[in-house]
Amino acid sequence: MTPPDQRISSPESEHVTTVHRTPYAVVRRVDLPAGAGLPEHEGGARVIYSLRPYTMRFEAEGQSSERHFEAGDVHFHAEGTHAVQNTGDQPAAFLAFVGTDGSLPTVPPDEDLGAAAASLPDGASHEVVLENNRVLVRRVALEPGASIPPHDAPPPRIVYALTDYTLTVGDPMDDTREERSFADGDLQGHGPGRERVKNTGDTRAAYLAVAFKK
């Protein structure tokens, strides 16, 4: 069987580019001019993040539907075979975070993350934008100097930068710290573990964290 992360990488899908890969997921960018589409293809469980407004028609299991999306919208697709076409008059662009067959490691419960998010200091925000039994998608924002208290991070996740920013991520167990800078559009993979996060730059940090549960 073709791995889920390769099922739409045929020559007929020249509008699809792989932009990031981890053992558990792959991120593909799809750019469809007005009227263009992707032929019928299989896809693993995936999170879609819209990069710009567009209208798309979906064909799956003999059924047709059409939906409009705005930039920043997030939605989920289960595994299955489908075809899509950009039915609007503007180019469509989106990221597809696709789960692969890689076995996820066992991780501790993430209730501590919810507790940390419920008591964030001024300048920090945390929003769950999508959650089901397969994925957890969060949108996080930190003003300069703001931080997220120590917490158990969720399953392995891919972080998508929504702004340019610098963060210091530390392990509260041994007090190790690492400062890293990111540009708008960067993608990074993160494993599970206990962490604390602080915006040590001079710009607002905003990012989307996409975690696959299974």
Side-chain angles (χ1 to χ4, degrees), residues 105-157:
T106 301
V107 297
D110 62 3
E111 286 85 357
D112 192 39
L113 173 63
S119 58
L120 289 177
D122 291 342
S125 65
H126 172 286
E127 176 190 7
V128 175
V129 294
L130 189 157
E131 184 173 15
N132 56 33
N133 66 335
R134 301 298 303 275
V135 299
L136 169 64
V137 182
R138 300 170 294 128
R139 185 179 283 115
V140 181
L142 297 171
E143 298 298 332
S147 62
I148 300 175
H151 60 277
D152 287 322
R157 60 212 179 279

Side-chain angles (χ1 to χ4, degrees), residues 19-89:
V19 292
H20 190 75
R21 190 187 302 273
T22 75
Y24 318 105
V26 64
V27 185
R28 295 188 181 279
R29 176 174 173 132
V30 181
D31 291 277
L32 292 175
L38 297 178
E40 187 174 84
H41 59 274
E42 287 187 72
R46 57 207 179 278
V47 171
I48 304 298
Y49 178 78
S50 302
L51 297 172
R52 56 174 300 153
Y54 60 86
T55 300
M56 195 75 65
R57 185 172 67 233
F58 300 89
E59 303 281 350
E61 299 180 349
Q63 302 294 317
S64 178
S65 62
E66 187 172 270
R67 289 183 62 185
H68 179 76
F69 301 96
E70 294 294 336
D73 282 352
V74 178
H75 66 279
F76 176 78
H77 284 291
E79 299 93 334
T81 301
H82 72 290
V84 298
Q85 182 178 13
N86 178 2
T87 55
D89 57 5

Side-chain angles (χ1 to χ4, degrees), residues 176-191:
T176 57
R177 303 178 185 181
E178 179 184 10
E179 185 176 80
R180 295 182 63 189
S181 295
F182 303 96
D184 184 0
D186 280 353
L187 289 149
Q188 324 100 51
H190 291 268

